[in-house]
Amino acid sequence: MAAFNNPFTPTFGIVPPYMAGRTYVIEDIVRALDRGPGDPNLATIFIGARGTGKTALLSYLADEALEHGWISVSVVAAPGMLEDIYERTKEAAAAYIDTTDSPKLKGLTVGQLFGLEWESAPREQLNWRSRMNALFKGLDQYGIGLLITVDEVSASLDEMISFAATYQLFVREGKRVGLLMAGLPHQVSALLRNQTVSFLRRSVQHRLSGVADQEVAQALVQTIASEGKTATGEAIDLMVDAIGGFPFMMQLVGYRSWDVSFGSCEITVKDVQRGVALAQGDLDQRVLEPTFYELSDGDLAFLRAMLEDQDVSLVADIAQRMGVASNYASQYRARLVEQGIIGTRGRGKIAFDMLHFKEFLLSKFAEA
Ligand SMILES: Nc1ncnc2c1ncn2[C@@H]1O[C@H](COP(=O)(O)OP(=O)(O)OP(=O)(O)O)[C@@H](O)[C@H]1O
Ligand SMILES: [Mg+2]
């Protein structure tokens, strides 16, 4: 029996073999890398709830950048990020120069590229910006750009703010530099409210919400074909329904259905029925239940009151249904927004952000 490798990637942070529904975003960024300084897409923020594919997209673009003459460094917003960016830039420059086939870079070592700056100025005497400037100078000689990706942005981190402020100076100085950031909606909004980095408000913002069914279907077909299997049209439809546009769920459903179909070269409706049930269990166990059990009674009462509405709820209605004052309800709203479970939809309005959580709650409350 032929052995088939399962191509699905139901693990957070892993780039899937086919990115569903991100074609335009990817094109925008790649075009910006080719155009260089001045293209607005060189400063882009991806905003999305858990599991919408922020980290995967950053990694994908960081890899892509190499093909376009940019080295990339990827960090998360955490203490030490500035130093991390500096060290990773040195590393990336070394790797690029060692492996490139470009004749103008051949034979150069990083020492040659950056040695001068190191020798002439002991590291301790220079601040981060000056040290980065030295690296930029080295890279610029060869027309190499630097793409920095910052995942899990956090407005409460001082270093994040000082990084963004200095980044603005790099841009102003015409450096070949790009910045892609990603974060949960409430973190990004808090960052954009910060006065010190108000220029970030002019960056390009992409909301990563659910992926359209058609794009999910296409990515499923391609992923399945990439390891030599097929799936019936009906099987694909069934998968798409269960996935509901959620990238993480796409990987879970694909992974489980593939495994159920085992040695067969075709995934059938029967395989998918079983696969979906298993994937639903995985999603509950890995994402939805842990979230649910962390909620307080007040949080739950708030969410329960939201279930009466089709899509968007008014905080005022929720307070009334809970029988509490508006400002009391607002405390719960703030906590739930903080956790990425719900998000604001304009003044006084909210809706579920965490995909599949509403359905999960409906079934939980039906059980009780
Ligand atoms: N465009 C996509 N198409 C298909 N699968 C995807 C896509 N983007 C991400 N995935 C898959 O979805 C899952 C979640 O992706 P990722 O870890 O990037 O999400 P995230 O938004 O960074 O989540 P978190 O907020 O928890 O950090 C992974 O299994 C990944 O392989
Ligand atoms: Mg992530």
Side-chain angles (χ1 to χ4, degrees):
M1 202 184 289
F4 293 103
N5 289 321
N6 196 327
F8 289 94
T9 55
T11 307
F12 275 76
I14 302 285
V15 179
Y18 288 90
M19 299 277 276
R22 305 290 182 232
T23 321
Y24 293 120
V25 187
I26 293 171
E27 278 173 10
D28 279 353
I29 307 287
V30 168
R31 206 179 307 115
L33 293 171
D34 286 336
R35 287 189 182 148
D39 191 299
N41 292 291
L42 281 180
T44 293
I45 309 183
F46 300 118
I47 308 162
R50 296 223 171 279
T52 45
K54 299 178 293 298
T55 304
L57 188 56
L58 289 180
S59 307
Y60 181 91
L61 290 167
D63 287 346
E64 192 72 11
L66 262 185
E67 314 279 316
H68 296 260
W70 291 65
I71 57 167
S72 57
V73 296
S74 299
V75 300
V76 293
M81 65 177 281
L82 288 178
E83 220 34 54
D84 207 18
I85 289 171
Y86 175 70
E87 292 297 333
R88 296 288 87 74
T89 305
K90 278 200 302 191
E91 250 175 41
Y96 186 81
I97 287 150
D98 285 347
T99 58
T100 184
D101 286 332
S102 162
K104 66 176 179 184
L105 295 173
K106 221 173 200 164
L108 266 180
T109 66
V110 190
Q112 281 171 293
L113 246 187
F114 303 119
L116 252 181
E117 290 81 357
W118 286 342
E119 275 162 30
S120 58
R123 199 183 130 139
E124 315 76 66
Q125 291 173 15
L126 291 175
N127 69 9
W128 185 77
R129 184 176 165 201
S130 313
R131 282 186 282 131
M132 286 303 291
N133 278 342
L135 295 184
F136 278 120
K137 211 161 122 196
L139 290 170
D140 197 47
Q141 266 176 281
Y142 302 92
I144 303 173
L146 173 65
L147 180 68
I148 302 170
T149 80
V150 180
D151 201 1
E152 295 171 26
V153 301
S154 148
S156 56
L157 183 72
D158 291 343
E159 227 174 303
M160 175 80 228
I161 305 297
S162 60
F163 164 71
T166 309
Y167 176 81
Q168 184 182 16
L169 299 173
F170 293 153
V171 172
R172 208 189 285 167
E173 292 158 359
K175 301 214 155 43
R176 206 169 166 74
V177 66
L179 173 61
L180 305 179
M181 291 181 285
L184 296 170
H186 73 280
Q187 289 291 358
V188 175
S189 359
L191 182 65
L192 297 181
R193 278 197 302 272
N194 191 300
Q195 293 303 326
T196 325
V197 293
S198 58
F199 81 98
L200 282 180
R201 281 176 223 154
R202 293 186 297 275
S203 61
V204 176
Q205 293 163 32
H206 282 287
R207 279 193 171 270
L208 303 181
S209 42
V211 176
D213 285 351
Q214 203 190 337
E215 317 232 39
V216 170
Q218 204 180 353
L220 282 170
V221 169
Q222 284 170 323
T223 309
I224 292 166
S226 71
E227 285 295 333
K229 283 207 201 200
T230 55
T232 65
E234 256 180 292
I236 294 287
D237 290 347
L238 205 58
M239 287 196 224
V240 169
D241 274 351
I243 290 163
F246 186 14
F248 182 51
M249 190 61 170
M250 174 185 150
Q251 299 304 327
L252 285 173
V253 168
Y255 188 86
R256 287 299 200 170
S257 303
W258 180 283
D259 271 1
V260 172
S261 72
F262 196 55
S264 160
C265 56
E266 187 179 66
I267 300 175
T268 64
V269 165
K270 223 171 137 219
D271 299 327
V272 175
Q273 282 164 343
R274 178 92 190 102
V276 165
L278 292 167
Q280 192 63 57
D282 294 336
L283 186 70
D284 287 0
Q285 196 195 340
R286 288 166 62 182
V287 180
L288 305 177
E289 300 225 344
T291 307
F292 181 80
Y293 287 114
E294 277 172 19
L295 298 171
S296 69
D297 288 347
D299 293 337
L300 281 174
F302 189 102
L303 292 173
R304 191 173 202 149
M306 280 178 71
L307 296 177
E308 287 184 32
D309 299 306
Q310 246 337 313
D311 183 19
V312 174
S313 302
L314 292 170
V315 179
D317 289 347
I318 303 297
Q320 198 182 18
R321 285 172 204 159
M322 289 172 77
V324 299
S326 232
N327 59 353
Y328 183 81
S330 291
Q331 286 174 22
Y332 289 106
R333 183 203 51 139
R335 282 168 41 142
L336 292 164
V337 167
E338 186 79 17
Q339 292 169 78
I341 296 171
I342 63 172
T344 50
R345 299 286 188 275
R347 194 169 282 275
K349 291 182 195 155
I350 43 164
F352 279 90
D353 255 1
M354 184 175 275
L355 298 168
H356 287 252
F357 201 60
K358 186 176 185 179
E359 294 74 15
F360 175 82
L361 286 179
L362 282 167
S363 68
K364 268 279 176 220
F365 289 136
E367 270 170 28

